[in-house]
Amino acid sequence: MATRTSTTGILSEGKTSEREEIIELLKKAYWMEIETVMSYISNSINPDGVRAQEIIESLQEDVQEELGHAQQFASRIKELYGVVPGSLEFSAEQSYLQPPEQQTDIVHVIKGVIEAETGAIEHYNRIIEVTDGVDFVTQDMVIEILRDEEGHRRLFEGYLREYEAEGLA
Ligand SMILES: [Fe+2]
Ligand SMILES: [Fe+2]
């Protein structure tokens, strides 16, 4: 009984090396989202003070969005015949989103979020370039996620501007 395999597109046998490259990029994206979920949970709970409330609410919403991104990256890894990695393969990188010394230091949190979003934006632009003409489905998915990250960064740039205008950042 012959198994029906795709002869065109990214799932075809001839595209194995392209798939492997894309899967590696998707795994990195998956870990970035997972670490962002962790960092945004802590930074949506730790901050103190009246001015922290907007940031707290904003990051609480983002936790759910970033978790959704992680799930999308994981699904796409599987669709490309990859395996979603286990937790032992995780290694943390977001030194800039560790809790500040003072929990009223909102500028630290805002700058950390901007750095995390910028990292995601750079990596997702790379995936969009690599998948161009090769894997339109991954490309389409990542374009949509990229828009979310650009929105997140823009929002936090706005917060930072307010602190800069007051000479606090
Ligand atoms: Fe995300
Ligand atoms: Fe984001």
Side-chain angles (χ1 to χ4, degrees):
M1 198 172 74
T3 318
R4 195 180 147 82
T5 49
S6 181
T7 52
T8 54
I10 192 65
L11 297 183
S12 65
E13 240 172 71
K15 290 278 163 59
T16 305
S17 71
E18 286 89 340
R19 265 200 316 275
E20 280 168 3
E21 184 188 3
I22 294 166
I23 287 168
E24 285 313 304
L25 293 167
L26 292 173
K27 282 184 185 173
K28 181 175 162 65
Y30 171 72
W31 288 131
M32 289 170 88
E33 295 289 352
I34 294 287
E35 187 171 14
T36 299
V37 168
M38 287 193 270
S39 294
Y40 287 6
I41 288 175
S42 60
N43 286 290
S44 68
I45 291 173
N46 286 331
D48 279 323
V50 180
R51 309 193 68 161
Q53 290 316 303
E54 189 71 30
I55 305 299
I56 285 173
E57 279 168 36
S58 187
L59 286 177
Q60 274 171 352
E61 265 178 48
D62 285 352
V63 166
Q64 302 308 320
E65 232 175 287
E66 310 296 9
L67 181 60
H69 294 162
Q71 289 174 308
Q72 285 186 76
F73 282 119
S75 297
R76 192 60 188 155
I77 289 168
K78 177 166 176 143
E79 284 162 6
L80 294 177
Y81 302 127
V83 175
V84 183
S87 57
L88 287 179
E89 280 184 50
F90 176 71
S91 77
E93 289 178 358
Q94 293 180 350
S95 53
Y96 45 85
L97 267 173
Q98 304 308 301
E101 274 182 30
Q102 303 293 328
Q103 300 316 312
T104 50
D105 186 358
I106 305 306
V107 171
H108 169 89
V109 175
I110 295 170
K111 286 183 173 170
V113 169
I114 292 171
E115 191 159 347
E117 298 294 344
T118 301
I121 288 166
E122 282 169 5
H123 185 57
Y124 301 168
N125 269 295
R126 175 145 180 251
I127 298 177
I128 290 164
E129 279 166 25
V130 169
T131 52
D132 192 48
V134 178
D135 177 0
F136 290 117
V137 175
T138 297
Q139 188 184 48
D140 187 59
M141 180 189 88
V142 178
I143 287 170
E144 210 175 294
I145 294 173
L146 176 62
R147 188 183 184 182
D148 291 341
E149 314 301 13
E150 287 181 345
H152 295 158
R153 186 171 75 180
R154 181 62 188 88
L155 184 66
F156 277 76
E157 282 172 351
Y159 294 142
L160 188 61
R161 257 170 229 179
E162 191 180 293
Y163 282 87
E164 281 170 347
E166 295 171 27
L168 297 170

